[in-house]
Amino acid sequence: MEKTKITVPNGTRDLIFEEVTAERELEGRIDGLLDVLGYRPVRTPSVEYYDLFDQSNRYIDETQMYKLTDGDGRLIVLRPDSTIPIARLVSTRLKGFPLPIRLYYSQPVFS
């Protein structure tokens, strides 16, 4: 068996120094613009219950999800999409919130 190379997985890369600084500055400018326009930032957990994605989204291949179990044995997944968790957040935490609800988010997805 070949030794595992010390590298990053395909499709990913390390960011260093100026790359990270440039990314943060751009995110800050975008966040500032969205704030001025009346949008509010939200973030959902990196892990969600598998049931949230099971059968509710046929566009996400369940074989491509990173699955884990929590301390109680429930199946959880690394967030493979942001839309469904944001809809969950709006329908639970922001239920009854005055309309229109203007939200923005930038969060990693894992698939």
Side-chain angles (χ1 to χ4, degrees), residues 11-65:
T12 67
R13 68 185 183 105
D14 295 319
L15 299 177
I16 60 172
F17 313 134
E18 294 84 8
E19 295 169 315
V20 174
T21 301
E23 184 179 81
R24 287 180 180 166
E25 288 174 1
L26 180 59
E27 287 173 350
R29 292 173 73 186
I30 293 169
D31 290 351
L33 176 61
L34 291 169
D35 288 338
V36 167
L37 293 173
Y39 289 81
R40 313 254 332 255
V42 295
R43 182 179 303 139
T44 62
S46 293
V47 294
E48 294 275 359
Y49 289 114
Y50 172 76
D51 294 347
L52 185 65
F53 300 97
D54 182 33
Q55 299 175 359
S56 65
N57 191 336
R58 296 180 189 157
Y59 302 106
I60 300 174
D61 184 354
E62 69 93 15
T63 63
Q64 298 300 310
M65 293 183 202

Side-chain angles (χ1 to χ4, degrees), residues 55-104:
Q55 299 175 359
S56 65
N57 191 336
R58 296 180 189 157
Y59 302 106
I60 300 174
D61 184 354
E62 69 93 15
T63 63
Q64 298 300 310
M65 293 183 202
Y66 293 100
K67 300 175 192 81
L68 311 148
T69 54
D70 68 6
D72 295 323
R74 293 175 292 200
L75 190 58
I76 57 177
V77 296
L78 291 176
R79 179 181 49 237
D81 170 79
S82 284
T83 305
I84 295 170
I86 295 298
R88 177 198 48 75
L89 178 139
V90 170
S91 68
T92 57
R93 300 279 313 274
L94 299 178
K95 186 177 184 176
F97 200 83
L99 299 175
I101 303 174
R102 293 183 175 94
L103 307 174
Y104 72 92

